[in-house]
Amino acid sequence: MFAFTLFVLFVFFILYKLLLIVPMREVNVIERLGKFRTVLQPGFHFLIPFFDRVAYKHEIREQVLDVPPQSCISKDNTQLEVDGLVYLKVMDGKLASYGIEDYRRAAVNLAQTTMRSEIGKLSLSQTFSERDSLNESIVREIDKASDPWGIKVLRYEIKNITPSRKVIHTLEKQMEAERSKRAEITLANAEKAAMINLSEGERQEAINLSEGEKQRRINEAKGTAQEIAIVARAKAEGMELVSAALAKDGGNEAMNMQLKEQFITQVGKILAEADVSVVPAELAKIEGFFEGMEQVTNAVSANSVKGAR
């Protein structure tokens, strides 16, 4: 019974060494008597017991490796701490097994050295604003160096870029100064715009006042011209009426009577309003005045009659 048990165990051991199932997520590197034989892809395989063995197993899915933080110096001599993530995939199981001892550790170390070199080419501001180009440069350099290792570096991502405390303090002061500068520029632009609007308003006000004054003078001139024309027409019509009245019978006598009444009225006003009493030196002169006015009236009437003929 003991011998049968040993036999069964031996058979199972032989089958275990003979049969090999490779999972879908990996490849196995087989060595025969210490030498590389083949790379087994996922599936069911047979091995020669005691001759063939699985020397290496490699994950063929995309792997994510954490790159620890490290100190870097930028182009403008600023100290930074940078960490990231590198994404890679095993493309050749044989090279990944025999091309390098540990491709994971090698990829992380290569990412660190490449990152230090690339950041040394950029200034502090460029390291923040040009992350995409920095990542592409690191991927390109790592992929070129890792090609003999049978792996493919798919991408690299910078997680954090942390300046030193002194640099952060300096950046905060710089940002505060920049904000103050922008605020002063904004206030200056607002004041400038206000002054421009005020001057434009004053200019428009002056234009409106001058236009109003111009229109007022034009209206006054038109009014004065119309007034002069009306007065002239009225005087002309009055003269025509007077001439017509003098041409009629009894016109001269009526004119003389009218002139006498007006003279007496005006003399009465002068005597009433004057501070000094005014008395004609010779009352006879008044009669001479009326006779002279009568002669003038007769002359005017004669001229009017001749003009009418």
Side-chain angles (χ1 to χ4, degrees):
M1 185 66 180
F2 179 72
F4 179 74
T5 302
L6 290 177
F7 177 75
V8 171
L9 292 175
F10 179 76
V11 169
F12 275 108
F13 180 75
I14 293 299
L15 291 175
Y16 176 76
K17 292 292 184 179
L18 177 65
L19 303 177
L20 178 64
I21 298 176
V22 180
M24 187 66 187
R25 65 178 180 273
E26 64 182 32
V27 294
N28 291 353
V29 177
I30 304 302
E31 291 183 353
R32 177 170 292 175
L33 298 178
K35 293 183 179 181
F36 170 77
R37 175 175 173 268
T38 186
V39 177
L40 299 182
Q41 302 297 324
F44 183 77
H45 303 277
F46 291 96
L47 301 178
I48 300 176
F50 307 108
F51 288 92
D52 296 338
R53 72 181 186 90
V54 178
Y56 301 98
K57 295 181 180 181
H58 296 294
E59 179 75 42
I60 59 175
R61 293 177 296 182
E62 185 174 346
Q63 302 178 51
V64 181
L65 304 180
D66 189 14
V67 180
Q70 59 177 329
S71 179
C72 303
I73 304 296
S74 64
K75 186 178 180 180
D76 50 1
N77 295 323
T78 303
Q79 186 174 358
L80 306 171
E81 268 200 5
V82 186
D83 60 350
L85 297 172
V86 60
Y87 296 79
L88 55 83
K89 186 176 182 180
V90 175
M91 307 301 294
D92 191 331
K94 179 181 179 181
L95 293 178
S97 301
Y98 303 104
I100 194 168
E101 179 184 2
D102 187 348
Y103 66 85
R104 294 184 182 87
R105 182 162 58 88
V108 170
N109 292 335
L110 182 58
Q112 287 180 320
T113 56
T114 306
M115 184 165 53
R116 281 197 297 267
S117 175
E118 292 297 325
I119 288 181
K121 300 176 183 178
L122 303 175
S123 62
L124 177 62
S125 59
Q126 289 176 326
T127 57
F128 291 100
S129 61
E130 299 184 8
R131 283 198 177 192
D132 293 338
S133 60
L134 182 60
N135 292 334
E136 292 175 0
S137 300
I138 294 174
V139 168
R140 185 169 54 252
E141 294 299 325
I142 297 176
D143 190 53
K144 187 188 303 182
S146 63
D147 187 63
W149 304 343
I151 62 174
K152 175 69 175 177
V153 178
L154 302 176
R155 61 186 181 276
Y156 180 86
E157 297 291 340
I158 295 177
K159 288 198 303 183
N160 298 305
I161 299 177
T162 308
S164 63
R165 289 183 176 272
K166 292 183 178 180
V167 174
I168 293 176
H169 185 62
T170 303
L171 290 176
E172 289 177 351
K173 287 187 175 180
Q174 183 178 356
M175 290 174 64
E176 184 177 357
E178 188 66 26
R179 285 194 294 269
S180 300
K181 176 183 175 182
R182 288 199 296 267
E184 291 179 358
I185 292 174
T186 302
L187 290 175
N189 290 334
E191 185 176 357
K192 176 182 177 183
M195 292 180 66
I196 291 174
N197 292 334
L198 181 61
S199 63
E200 286 292 334
E202 292 177 351
R203 173 175 173 271
Q204 190 62 40
E205 181 183 5
I207 292 173
N208 293 338
L209 290 175
S210 63
E211 289 291 336
E213 182 66 18
K214 174 183 175 183
Q215 190 63 39
R216 185 184 66 81
R217 292 182 179 179
I218 291 173
N219 293 337
E220 288 181 353
K222 289 181 178 179
T224 302
Q226 291 176 0
E227 180 183 0
I228 293 172
I230 292 172
V231 171
R233 284 197 298 270
K235 288 182 177 180
E237 292 175 359
M239 293 297 293
E240 289 178 359
L241 293 175
V242 170
S243 299
L246 291 175
K248 295 180 180 179
D249 295 335
N252 293 330
E253 291 77 5
M255 175 64 70
N256 291 330
M257 182 61 67
Q258 183 69 25
L259 292 175
K260 291 176 181 179
E261 289 179 356
Q262 289 181 357
F263 178 79
I264 293 170
T265 301
Q266 294 298 325
V267 170
K269 287 183 179 180
I270 293 172
L271 294 175
E273 296 177 358
D275 294 335
V276 179
S277 297
V278 179
V279 178
E282 298 177 0
L283 294 175
K285 290 183 178 181
I286 297 175
E287 184 179 358
F289 171 77
F290 286 118
E291 291 177 356
M293 292 298 298
E294 184 177 358
Q295 293 176 2
V296 172
T297 303
N298 293 330
V300 172
S301 177
N303 292 331
S304 297
V305 172
K306 289 179 180 180
R309 292 176 182 178

